[in-house]
Amino acid sequence: MLKEFRCDLHIHTCLSPCADLDLYPSALVGKALKTDLDVIAVCDHNSSENVPYVLRCAAGTSVVVLPGMEVTSREEVHVLALFDTLDPLARFQVDVYAHLSGSNREEVFGCQAIVNDVDEVEGFNDRLLIGATDIPLDGLISLIHHHGGLAVASHIDREAFGVLGQLGFIDSSLAFDALEVTFRLGIREARRRYPEFGAYAFVTSSDAHFLQDVGQGMTRIRMAAPTLAELKLAFQRRDGREILE
């Protein structure tokens, strides 16, 4: 049986250097519950070390957490990588770290805190998570698919770090599973602004970097269950699954 799910598929935690320290795992899940979200995806910059703790915090609640990451390609394009479980995300993480150089300077870029499910600081990530990997965009999409994930172009209507802002176009050879637009634009307006992308599924998310922003942008998706397989069917508009625009 199909039902409607309220999904915010792009949320950061305090691990992202540009995110607020109040956005730790238990606070994130609490805010998602208060906002009546059904599905969230945790997508920190080039890292996933807080995802297991968000999953623990959500266990036994009504919120389903999709493990994810927001990766920066060599061209400085942001791409959301969404997975069903932690195992493929962990394998993907190894590949991302192998292509990410540099060290964080907290006084310049911000704190990168790893916080567990009982609000304890486990440590700090010393990598330059705000930086770009050396993976080309087409290779990054292929890598996400290799590990069984879905690749979503982040905030395409933003000049900074969106594929259109960085490249000026979306090549037909780029196998994105969906395109994300900011909640300020919204899907309906995005359809009017970008008629050339009619074949793609559009989603909108909060891209929350602050606790109060969680759920500010969300997509209503009709599917049978809150799983990656069902999300893929919705992106493809198959078997009654669809993005409710």
Side-chain angles (χ1 to χ4, degrees), residues 4-235:
E4 179 184 322
F5 293 88
R6 293 167 50 88
C7 308
D8 187 347
L9 300 177
H10 185 178
I11 302 176
H12 293 264
T13 76
C14 53
L15 179 58
S16 291
C18 45
D20 193 83
L21 289 176
D22 287 339
L23 201 47
Y24 49 89
S26 67
L28 167 54
V29 172
K31 180 63 173 178
L33 288 166
K34 290 180 181 178
T35 318
D36 294 324
L37 291 170
D38 301 305
V39 183
I40 61 174
V42 180
C43 299
D44 280 310
H45 289 293
N46 294 318
S47 188
S48 61
E49 291 169 85
N50 275 348
V51 175
Y53 301 121
V54 178
L55 280 163
R56 289 185 195 177
C57 289
T61 75
S62 60
V63 176
V64 173
V65 179
L66 293 180
M69 193 187 307
E70 185 174 32
V71 186
T72 307
S73 76
R74 183 172 65 192
E75 302 87 346
E76 297 194 334
V77 173
H78 286 182
V79 180
L80 302 178
L82 305 179
F83 298 91
D84 228 353
T85 63
L86 287 174
D87 287 345
L89 175 63
R91 293 190 290 270
F92 178 67
Q93 179 72 93
V94 171
D95 288 336
V96 170
Y97 279 170
H99 293 274
L100 182 68
S101 60
S103 300
N104 186 46
R105 292 175 59 193
E106 185 175 322
E107 72 280 6
V108 176
F109 302 114
C111 181
Q112 300 177 161
I114 303 167
V115 179
N116 67 24
D117 51 308
V118 291
D119 305 342
E120 298 170 337
V121 176
E122 293 279 338
F124 300 91
N125 191 312
D126 294 328
R127 294 176 173 85
L128 187 62
L129 300 184
I130 201 69
T133 68
D134 63 6
I135 308 172
L137 182 56
D138 57 348
L140 176 57
I141 296 170
S142 295
L143 185 63
I144 293 169
H145 289 158
H146 171 75
H147 288 289
L150 297 177
V152 180
S154 301
H155 41 64
I156 67 165
D157 53 311
R158 273 181 47 190
E159 184 173 348
F161 304 113
V163 61
L164 295 178
Q166 296 302 117
L167 302 183
F169 60 93
I170 299 178
D171 192 280
S172 59
S173 66
L174 295 175
F176 287 117
D177 295 289
L179 308 178
E180 180 197 54
V181 296
T182 63
F183 66 87
R184 291 177 180 84
L185 180 66
I187 295 176
R188 290 184 180 179
E189 183 58 33
R191 287 292 183 203
R192 289 190 284 269
R193 180 180 296 186
Y194 305 115
E196 67 271 30
F197 303 140
Y200 289 98
F202 279 21
V203 297
T204 186
S205 313
S206 69
D207 189 10
H209 286 69
F210 298 90
L211 187 61
Q212 65 266 26
D213 294 336
V214 173
Q216 191 169 10
M218 67 90 189
T219 304
R220 296 178 301 118
I221 304 176
R222 180 178 289 123
M223 49 190 176
T227 65
L228 200 74
E230 287 287 315
L231 185 60
K232 184 175 182 178
L233 289 174
F235 286 168

